[in-house]
Amino acid sequence: EAALDAEAIVGDAPGTALSVYEIRNLKNASITDAYNAVVSQNVVDAVNSSFGGCEVGVGTKTVAAWNALAEQGASKGITFHAASGDSGGSLCANAPASSPYFVAVGGTALTVGFGGAWASESAWSGSGGGISTIFPLPSWQATTKGTVDRGRNVPDIALDADPYTGIALYYTGTFNTQYDPLGGTSLASPLFGAAVTELDEVKNGRLGLAAANLYAALGAHGYGSGATTYFHDVVQGNNGTFYAGPGYDLVTGIGSIDAWNLASLL
């Protein structure tokens, strides 16, 4: 997991000053300690979390603590983002992605054309999606067509996660392992982290609460088209519970992003 995240971020944003926060285990208290260290040290501009669990199972107090720390981070300009999960649609949204102070990153299956140019995307069947029972629908999400007015909607955006179109992982000194190719929203989230890194570099500052900025950009400028495409609206595929469609959906959110074009808006 750590190798995947590091390679995805640095591979897509070469020259990144990468910090890896090592924790004793993936228990709630250790994750809380790590987020506290991130915010108090204030060294990094974006924080990736390629893990998660049903927010109800994680517990309201813990989820609220993660949300509060991400809110403190956002006030300093730090962007928190997390994988929406790999188990498809669910009646229980994954935490920490369900926090409104995290960007929840779902998954797509990506097709590229000549020279690696974007060609098309469909929803990845494992892309986690659902509606939070802990957090209300954020104001910046409520005005977007397709959102459900019952709670925080997950995910916000989606990027490549299909193992068949995923990353070639260099691990234990070789590409020839059982992990190639590799996908999941554990890939999509660090890919978004690389995009945030580059957006921060272009704007010479921190993006902060990126989710609100993304929805605002969509509301003001739409999806764009051709050479000025800002988002790709994913309208095909499903995650077993929810179906992708025009506008927001509980599989791919508002769609995938064109980071270079978005840089001019954010």
Side-chain angles (χ1 to χ4, degrees):
E1 188 67 67
L4 167 63
D5 293 356
E7 290 185 36
I9 293 171
V10 178
D12 265 31
T16 298
L18 183 72
S19 296
V20 178
Y21 283 77
E22 297 184 5
I23 59 178
R24 185 181 302 275
N25 50 47
L26 268 180
K27 292 184 178 180
N28 294 345
S30 296
I31 297 170
T32 303
D33 288 345
Y35 289 156
N36 190 54
V38 165
V39 174
S40 61
Q41 292 172 10
N42 196 23
V43 172
V44 299
D45 302 323
V47 184
N48 174 64
S49 297
S50 285
F51 54 81
C54 170
E55 59 180 10
V56 175
V58 172
T60 301
K61 288 182 65 175
T62 296
V63 173
W66 293 350
N67 182 67
L69 286 165
E71 182 179 7
Q72 292 176 37
S75 73
K76 298 181 178 183
I78 302 172
T79 301
F80 281 75
H81 53 93
S84 69
D86 298 343
S87 299
S90 173
L91 299 178
C92 183
N94 263 17
S98 64
S99 162
Y101 287 97
F102 278 73
V103 177
V105 187
T108 68
L110 172 67
T111 300
V112 297
F114 181 77
W118 183 92
S120 66
E121 278 175 287
S122 59
W124 177 53
S125 60
S127 179
I131 302 170
S132 174
T133 59
I134 294 177
F135 299 107
L137 188 67
S139 59
W140 39 262
Q141 200 175 40
T143 56
T144 302
K145 180 182 178 181
T147 55
V148 181
D149 189 16
R150 289 206 308 270
R152 160 84 162 116
N153 288 206
V154 174
D156 294 307
I157 62 159
L159 292 170
D160 190 19
D162 189 333
Y164 291 101
T165 63
I167 192 172
L169 183 70
Y170 189 77
Y171 186 62
T172 63
T174 180
F175 284 104
N176 187 26
T177 73
Q178 70 268 37
Y179 302 110
D180 274 327
L182 194 65
T185 55
S186 293
L187 168 61
S189 186
L191 289 179
F192 178 71
V196 172
T197 299
E198 293 175 333
L199 288 165
D200 284 346
E201 185 175 19
V202 169
K203 73 191 294 287
N204 194 28
R206 287 173 160 181
L207 201 56
L209 184 55
N213 290 331
L214 292 169
Y215 284 86
L218 177 65
H221 302 278
Y223 282 88
S225 61
T228 54
T229 296
Y230 306 114
F231 303 90
H232 301 116
D233 193 4
V234 182
V235 298
Q236 295 181 330
N238 66 84
N239 60 9
T241 303
F242 307 109
Y243 285 78
Y248 183 89
D249 57 70
L250 292 166
V251 190
T252 63
I254 57 177
S256 65
I257 64 171
D258 186 309
W260 176 254
N261 289 338
L262 270 178
S264 65
L265 302 182
L266 299 179

